[in-house]
Amino acid sequence: MSSSVLVVGTVAFDTVRTPFGAEEEVLGGSATYFSMAASFFTQVRLVAPVGEDFRDSDAKPLRDRGVDLSGLMRIPGRTFRWEGEYGYDLNTAKTLRTELGVLATFDPRLTDAMRGAEFVFLANVDPEIQTQVLEQVTRPRFVACDTMNFWIEGKPEALRRTLGKVDALLINDAEARELAGEPNLVRAAAAIRRMGPATVVVKRGEYGAVMFSESGVFGVPAYPLESVLDPTGAGDSFAGGFMGHLARDGRLSPESFRQAVVLGSVMASLNVEDFSLKRLARTTDEEIRKRYRDFRDLTGFAEIA
Amino acid sequence: MSSSVLVVGTVAFDTVRTPFGAEEEVLGGSATYFSMAASFFTQVRLVAPVGEDFRDSDAKPLRDRGVDLSGLMRIPGRTFRWEGEYGYDLNTAKTLRTELGVLATFDPRLTDAMRGAEFVFLANVDPEIQTQVLEQVTRPRFVACDTMNFWIEGKPEALRRTLGKVDALLINDAEARELAGEPNLVRAAAAIRRMGPATVVVKRGEYGAVMFSESGVFGVPAYPLESVLDPTGAGDSFAGGFMGHLARDGRLSPESFRQAVVLGSVMASLNVEDFSLKRLARTTDEEIRKRYRDFRDLTGFAEIA
């Protein structure tokens, strides 16, 4: 009895350079990476704007994964564009250029089917858009969101309103500290939990992830990869694995949250092994199960006498 | 049938400032932190030079922990001094001043009892001193060492000779990459293993630790602490827990290596909870067992269907 997941976020054309190659004007965006990753677990319904320059064929990777694209709204203007660069330290992207395009005027309208969504992910967009979407969903069972420094600094009140209505926040390490105004991560997570989300998942790139919730703290290292080609979309792939598992599993138990963090890590670790969506597009269910087992091998240790 | 551990390193007077307080001219040094931590697991024999300014009472914390101080050599000159500072990002120390003192002329001579040591830790000192010590040990069963950027850059050949003779290297993240000349940690660890040590343990501060060996990769997050007062000695406390467990356990099995990494993390996490040696001085065996269980709670997760 798997529930579907509704995601609102961006669909973009990305131009990315890493020390290992470059891609120009390829499909990207937070809702795209999220949907690709979550599609391995359950039905995904995507809500995002694209411009008149977006062709049907551009959405092929999402269509191939069975993502419901009825919420992909083509509106006047150009599709959102992001251009970024990574150095040998692949942990942080340097944004070279963003072109908001249709994002600037995006006014999300959900269909009735979408309003009935039980699992909702508000990817990293303007917190006012996040709230607009959430107000249209009639009785969500579990809502998570992401955000970034741009909104933490630029729209703090709107972000607080979003945070007051979500069950979980998935956020980068540095941004968690910034949002809480607190350098210690344990205290930062506690402060964020007081803002609303009962669960805070801190994404730490190549260092893994830590989840803070009422059932305590759970930490998992990142999967040690010999070859990382393009970190773009790692956080959204993480969110896709995390939400996808929760929706498929349905229990929302402490155990399923821990599995969700690991499956988020699994999807992120797969995603960065190739440029753009290439790796997720060729991923199989068996590879996901295999890497999940690898995570258990990576982290398991015995009691001491 | 616990084996003893021999450690060669520094005994120092530290002056440390963190955002949470300051300590002046307190007992520190790599061999000191190592010995304090390892003393909870087995008999520790310390080899290090101190100057004429070092009083018997200065060694009280070590003596109280039952550390064998017959290798603490008082020689002409002043005791090694280190002065450092940490910002709110407690991950990296800024060294304000070092005074080598007796370290500059240290010529380690082991007694017969010490030469028979089975477990040896060469803490972060001049790799020529590390080799000198190692040449005096008759048939060690397991040897590990630490090092730092100063020796990687300043004495690369001597360091290579040390690495060619050890079973394990415990090293910081950034220094592992520097030693290997390789930004990817998995490839860096593989390159270092080709230099000699079959086991490479990479210490990542608040992000935990990763071990690379012939039985694969093992990763553990750091224990999430609400209050870190002074990170000084965390790496050496880690090494003390790691080596102490291996010596006590005696198996040198893949399972005991994993437990050793966790017990290293346990000792490091305790150490940073107070200034200088204060926290280790008041630690109990039960606290160590408790935190080890906490690490299992922190990292455990179930299989998926």
Side-chain angles (χ1 to χ4, degrees):
Chain A
M1 284 301 296
S2 180
S3 302
S4 63
V5 176
L6 179 75
V7 56
V8 58
T10 63
V11 169
F13 288 129
D14 285 350
T15 295
V16 178
R17 272 192 296 282
T18 87
F20 313 107
E23 293 277 320
E24 274 197 38
E25 298 261 317
V26 293
L27 184 65
S30 57
T32 303
Y33 280 100
F34 178 93
S35 298
M36 290 295 288
S39 71
F40 289 91
F41 302 89
T42 192
Q43 173 70 54
V44 183
R45 305 185 203 284
L46 177 153
V47 177
V50 291
E52 293 149 326
D53 54 349
F54 194 90
R55 296 154 302 174
D56 267 0
S57 60
D58 289 325
K60 183 170 189 301
L62 290 161
R63 207 173 286 114
D64 287 349
R65 290 288 326 149
V67 175
D68 175 356
L69 297 176
S70 57
L72 187 68
M73 303 174 209
R74 193 178 273 104
I75 59 180
R78 268 163 62 90
T79 300
F80 172 54
R81 278 167 169 80
W82 177 76
E83 192 175 331
E85 190 175 47
Y86 298 84
Y88 278 100
D89 169 7
L90 292 159
N91 279 319
T92 41
K94 183 178 167 195
T95 292
L96 300 174
R97 196 175 68 88
T98 54
E99 179 189 337
L100 280 185
V102 294
L103 266 193
T105 55
F106 181 43
D107 177 20
R109 297 290 161 102
L110 305 195
T111 63
D112 281 351
M114 288 172 175
R115 297 165 82 98
E118 289 186 289
F119 287 79
V120 180
F121 185 67
L122 311 168
N124 175 26
V125 288
D126 186 330
E128 292 179 12
I129 293 179
Q130 293 178 319
T131 296
Q132 267 175 279
V133 168
L134 205 44
E135 284 170 349
Q136 296 174 58
V137 180
T138 45
R139 39 164 216 294
R141 200 171 151 215
F142 185 79
V143 180
C145 75
D146 192 357
T147 194
M148 69 184 295
N149 50 2
F150 186 75
W151 309 118
I152 294 170
E153 292 154 22
K155 296 207 174 179
E157 292 86 21
L159 179 57
R160 283 300 187 103
R161 280 192 294 277
T162 300
L163 290 176
K165 290 175 196 147
V166 302
D167 301 294
L169 172 68
L170 281 68
I171 189 168
N172 283 342
D173 199 329
E175 287 161 349
R177 296 172 209 251
E178 183 179 357
L179 174 59
E182 163 63 55
N184 178 281
L185 193 65
V186 178
R187 283 201 294 259
I192 294 169
R193 292 184 64 224
R194 285 191 295 272
M195 298 175 194
T199 300
V200 174
V201 179
V202 180
K203 301 172 287 180
R204 311 181 109 179
E206 69 160 319
Y207 301 115
V210 195
M211 175 172 63
F212 299 86
S213 67
E214 67 176 14
S215 64
V217 190
F218 173 63
V220 66
Y223 190 73
L225 291 169
E226 201 164 328
S227 177
V228 175
L229 292 191
D230 178 9
T232 307
D236 298 304
S237 303
F238 181 100
F242 180 85
M243 290 295 287
H245 174 70
L246 291 180
R248 177 180 66 178
D249 181 83
R251 290 175 299 164
L252 294 179
S253 67
E255 183 178 286
S256 55
F257 272 98
R258 286 178 171 230
Q259 293 171 324
V261 170
V262 178
L263 283 163
S265 307
V266 164
M267 300 315 292
S269 75
L270 289 167
N271 176 62
V272 302
E273 289 185 321
D274 204 342
F275 278 86
S276 185
L277 301 171
K278 288 179 189 171
R279 186 65 181 88
L280 292 184
R282 67 171 187 267
T283 292
T284 64
D285 292 335
E286 181 45 37
E287 279 182 308
I288 294 170
R289 279 193 294 272
K290 163 80 166 64
R291 188 150 296 179
Y292 189 90
R293 289 193 301 271
D294 289 344
F295 265 94
R296 283 184 42 99
D297 289 345
L298 171 69
T299 58
F301 59 93
E303 293 183 42
I304 41 171
Chain B
M1 285 305 297
S2 179
S3 301
S4 63
V5 176
L6 180 74
V7 56
V8 58
T10 62
V11 169
F13 288 129
D14 284 351
T15 295
V16 178
R17 270 192 297 280
T18 87
F20 312 107
E23 293 276 321
E24 274 198 39
E25 298 261 318
V26 293
L27 184 65
S30 57
T32 302
Y33 280 100
F34 177 94
S35 298
M36 290 294 289
S39 71
F40 290 91
F41 302 89
T42 192
Q43 173 70 55
V44 184
R45 304 186 203 284
L46 178 154
V47 177
V50 290
E52 293 149 324
D53 53 350
F54 194 90
R55 295 153 302 173
D56 267 0
S57 59
D58 289 324
K60 184 171 186 305
L62 291 161
R63 206 173 288 114
D64 287 350
R65 289 290 323 152
V67 175
D68 175 356
L69 297 176
S70 58
L72 188 67
M73 302 174 210
R74 193 177 272 104
I75 59 181
R78 267 161 65 88
T79 301
F80 172 55
R81 277 167 171 79
W82 178 76
E83 192 175 331
E85 191 176 45
Y86 297 85
Y88 278 100
D89 169 6
L90 293 159
N91 278 319
T92 41
K94 183 177 166 195
T95 291
L96 300 173
R97 198 175 67 88
T98 54
E99 178 188 337
L100 280 186
V102 295
L103 267 193
T105 55
F106 181 43
D107 178 20
R109 298 291 162 102
L110 305 194
T111 62
D112 281 350
M114 289 170 174
R115 296 164 82 99
E118 289 186 289
F119 288 78
V120 180
F121 186 66
L122 310 168
N124 174 25
V125 288
D126 186 330
E128 292 180 13
I129 292 178
Q130 293 179 319
T131 296
Q132 266 176 280
V133 167
L134 205 45
E135 284 171 349
Q136 295 175 59
V137 180
T138 46
R139 38 162 219 296
R141 201 172 149 215
F142 185 79
V143 180
C145 76
D146 191 357
T147 194
M148 70 184 294
N149 50 2
F150 186 75
W151 309 118
I152 294 170
E153 293 154 21
K155 296 208 173 178
E157 293 87 19
L159 179 57
R160 285 300 188 103
R161 280 192 294 277
T162 299
L163 291 175
K165 290 175 197 148
V166 302
D167 302 293
L169 173 68
L170 282 68
I171 190 169
N172 284 342
D173 198 328
E175 287 161 349
R177 297 173 208 251
E178 183 178 357
L179 174 59
E182 164 62 56
N184 178 280
L185 193 65
V186 177
R187 284 202 293 260
I192 294 170
R193 293 183 64 224
R194 287 192 293 271
M195 298 175 194
T199 300
V200 174
V201 180
V202 179
K203 301 171 287 179
R204 310 180 109 180
E206 69 161 319
Y207 301 115
V210 195
M211 175 171 64
F212 300 85
S213 65
E214 69 177 12
S215 64
V217 190
F218 173 64
V220 66
Y223 190 74
L225 291 168
E226 201 164 328
S227 177
V228 174
L229 292 191
D230 177 9
T232 308
D236 298 303
S237 303
F238 181 100
F242 180 86
M243 290 294 287
H245 173 69
L246 291 180
R248 178 180 65 178
D249 180 84
R251 290 175 298 164
L252 294 177
S253 67
E255 182 177 286
S256 54
F257 272 97
R258 285 177 172 232
Q259 294 171 323
V261 170
V262 178
L263 283 163
S265 306
V266 164
M267 300 314 292
S269 75
L270 289 168
N271 176 60
V272 301
E273 289 185 321
D274 204 343
F275 278 87
S276 183
L277 301 171
K278 287 178 191 172
R279 187 66 181 86
L280 292 184
R282 66 170 186 266
T283 292
T284 64
D285 291 335
E286 181 45 37
E287 279 183 308
I288 294 170
R289 279 193 294 271
K290 163 82 166 65
R291 187 150 294 178
Y292 189 90
R293 290 193 301 271
D294 289 343
F295 265 95
R296 285 184 42 99
D297 289 345
L298 172 68
T299 59
F301 58 95
E303 292 181 43
I304 41 171

